[in-house]
Amino acid sequence: MSIKNILQITLMSIVFFSCNKKEEKKSTTNATKPNIIYILADDLGIGDVSIYNENSKIETPNIDALATNGVMYTDAHTSSAVCTPTRYSILTGRYNWRTSLKQGVVSGYSKSLIKPNRTTIADVLKDNGYNTAFIGKWHMGWDWDITKPDSLGLDIDNLKAIPEVDFTTPIKNGPNTHGFDYSYGFCGSLDMPPYVWVENDMPTSVPTKYTKGKTKQGTWRYGLTADNFEHEQALPEITKRTVSYINDNAKKDDPFFVYMPLPAPHTPILPTDAFKGKSGLENPYADFVIMVDWVVGEVTKALEANGISENTLIVFTSDNGCSPTANFKQLKSKDHNPSYVYRGTKSDIFEGGHRVPYIMTWKNNIQPTKTEQLVCTTDFFATVADVLNIDLEDNVAEDSFSHLTNSEAPKRESIIHHSVRGEFAYRKGDYKVNFCKGSGGWSYPNINTKKAIYDTLPMVQLYNVKTDAAETKNLQAEHPEIVKEFKADLLKIINDGRSTVGAKQENDGSSDWPQLEKLKNTKL
């Protein structure tokens, strides 16, 4: 009996990873399908979760409990070092740079990054009997009813764009278009206008005022704000809505899937009064991390209260590494490092940009374990399909591998990393090649470093991330054969339109773009 069959047959007294792999697959019914909750923190560093960092000065007992009772992945990575691309990859199982977005993120006014015909994990779950919900921060664009282009002539993807929008009409190509029965959230980041809640495609209020954050860590961009939108209450509101959804759906016959992308601890860093100063680190970011942990606790308590924790699969992770806005210097003065032992921060090709906490738990159904299995956030799609015994079409989830430990499904053996500037890195085994100078992001050294210094940096960096987690020793000169092999592998995966086995697929937009051209022309 395969692991998939065990997961489908019973929810009582089973061990997730013990299996006999000879019996044929069996179909699932709603009664044997687990509820699924995906909690995505925003800019949470791997070193901010106390179970991942023995030197952490921030305590996260609720997140730690998920790891203690589930699978704790220690070599997990986001598909990108910034927000939008990673979110796209989670829902589609596809590398973000295969879209038209080759670097950076979208704005709060941007059109949808997900094409209408692209299958999402929500689509698949809905087609397989699930009630599906999105509650939180979308940040992949949707189509507002824009009545007048931006007066400054800026493209709506530009973060300074201010187009005129008719907020009395429904949005298009949003969460409800992409598989979610219920949706409640906002379009961009919590620091990107317009600041408007949208429920099931309809803005809940027409914005009539303009607001702007007042402090460096608590800042948000000047922009239209609805009367019922309060930045400080965004995280509690999302939590309240999610708990309410759990309560409403707990006793229904159909299982549910909740995609819960949080706006925290991303800027604006706004812990509520109950959490201000709670960390003792004299830094609102640390307090906000504790508030994120509280959110996890509220969700798990709701599952317990409804008696469905043993029939609910929870995934917890972050969309990239910690942002420099957390004030690394101040936190390090308190002996806390959000990036743990890894180099870099959010935005970077270095490990600190994309190595994240990744936990999967299913109470009494997953044997607690810690694993070094390589994981990418694209892999949620194939993992769910594996759990539910769903066969995916050839043009779906092209870069997704199941991370069920003892599954018969192919495992991820390599991964492509991507920085805010669209720079590439390729990892296989213990080695990782960064095909760019410096960090490829915001950390020093970067494109803004003095030219006399930047010009001397090597175009290619090879690190053994197993023995050199801080990426301090460039081994390029010692192992040119690895660099050559990795470049060929990377180009093949890009050109094939997939990293999984199957027919060749097309990438969106141009078949060539500046970062790809740069990669092709990199001299080894």
Side-chain angles (χ1 to χ4, degrees), residues 237-300:
E237 177 70 10
I238 290 165
T239 306
K240 181 182 74 174
R241 294 265 175 174
T242 301
V243 169
S244 177
Y245 184 88
I246 292 170
N247 292 338
D248 291 344
N249 284 270
K251 304 306 179 184
K252 293 182 179 178
D253 292 335
D254 293 336
F256 62 80
F257 165 54
V258 178
Y259 171 54
M260 187 189 188
L262 312 179
H266 188 287
T267 52
I269 298 170
L270 297 170
T272 55
D273 289 344
F275 294 92
K276 289 178 181 177
K278 198 163 186 177
S279 68
L281 298 186
E282 302 174 357
N283 188 321
Y285 173 80
D287 301 334
F288 215 21
V289 170
I290 290 177
M291 192 170 174
V292 168
D293 185 71
W294 165 80
V295 171
V296 173
E298 292 299 291
V299 171
T300 55

Side-chain angles (χ1 to χ4, degrees), residues 476-490:
Q476 175 198 3
E478 298 175 34
H479 296 288
E481 76 285 357
I482 294 179
V483 178
K484 183 178 180 180
E485 175 191 338
F486 280 21
K487 179 181 176 181
D489 286 353
L490 175 52

Side-chain angles (χ1 to χ4, degrees), residues 131-324:
N131 293 320
T132 56
F134 149 74
I135 305 172
K137 167 185 169 177
W138 187 244
H139 204 191
M140 287 176 284
W142 58 46
D143 301 350
W144 296 101
D145 184 1
I146 296 177
T147 57
K148 185 178 179 182
D150 179 59
S151 59
L152 300 177
L154 297 172
D155 185 273
I156 59 171
D157 286 336
N158 190 301
L159 299 183
K160 295 182 180 180
I162 314 175
E164 290 185 8
V165 174
D166 184 350
F167 291 101
T168 66
T169 60
I171 65 159
K172 297 179 181 178
N173 210 11
N176 293 94
T177 301
H178 297 295
F180 291 100
D181 298 306
Y182 175 76
S183 66
Y184 183 88
F186 49 92
C187 190
S189 279
L190 193 55
D191 58 0
M192 294 179 182
Y195 306 113
V196 178
W197 292 109
V198 173
E199 184 172 23
N200 292 331
D201 288 349
M202 274 301 299
T204 62
S205 178
V206 175
T208 58
K209 62 183 179 181
Y210 288 84
T211 64
K212 186 180 186 301
K214 298 177 181 178
T215 64
K216 184 176 181 180
Q217 285 183 300
T219 189
W220 62 86
R221 293 170 179 83
Y222 176 81
L224 271 171
T225 307
D227 287 342
N228 66 348
F229 195 102
E230 186 176 354
H231 285 75
E232 291 85 350
Q233 291 301 316
L235 188 57
E237 177 70 10
I238 290 165
T239 306
K240 181 182 74 174
R241 294 265 175 174
T242 301
V243 169
S244 177
Y245 184 88
I246 292 170
N247 292 338
D248 291 344
N249 284 270
K251 304 306 179 184
K252 293 182 179 178
D253 292 335
D254 293 336
F256 62 80
F257 165 54
V258 178
Y259 171 54
M260 187 189 188
L262 312 179
H266 188 287
T267 52
I269 298 170
L270 297 170
T272 55
D273 289 344
F275 294 92
K276 289 178 181 177
K278 198 163 186 177
S279 68
L281 298 186
E282 302 174 357
N283 188 321
Y285 173 80
D287 301 334
F288 215 21
V289 170
I290 290 177
M291 192 170 174
V292 168
D293 185 71
W294 165 80
V295 171
V296 173
E298 292 299 291
V299 171
T300 55
K301 282 194 296 186
L303 297 175
E304 292 282 355
N306 284 284
I308 58 172
S309 58
E310 293 185 9
N311 190 31
T312 302
L313 176 67
I314 304 173
V315 174
F316 175 86
T317 188
S318 177
D319 65 346
N320 44 246
C322 179
S323 168

Side-chain angles (χ1 to χ4, degrees), residues 8 77 110 211 214 238 270 313 329 366 375 402 421 509:
Q8 294 154 8
H77 304 259
S110 295
T211 64
K214 298 177 181 178
I238 290 165
L270 297 170
L313 176 67
K329 184 177 179 180
I366 291 182
V375 170
S402 174
R421 293 184 55 81

Side-chain angles (χ1 to χ4, degrees), residues 11 95-96 107 120 157 165 180 196 213 284 305 336 364 466 469 473 495 502 518:
L11 297 172
Y95 278 131
N96 49 271
S107 81
T120 69
D157 286 336
V165 174
F180 291 100
V196 178
H336 179 79
N364 294 337
K466 180 79 170 180
K473 186 178 181 182
N495 292 330
K518 177 182 174 183

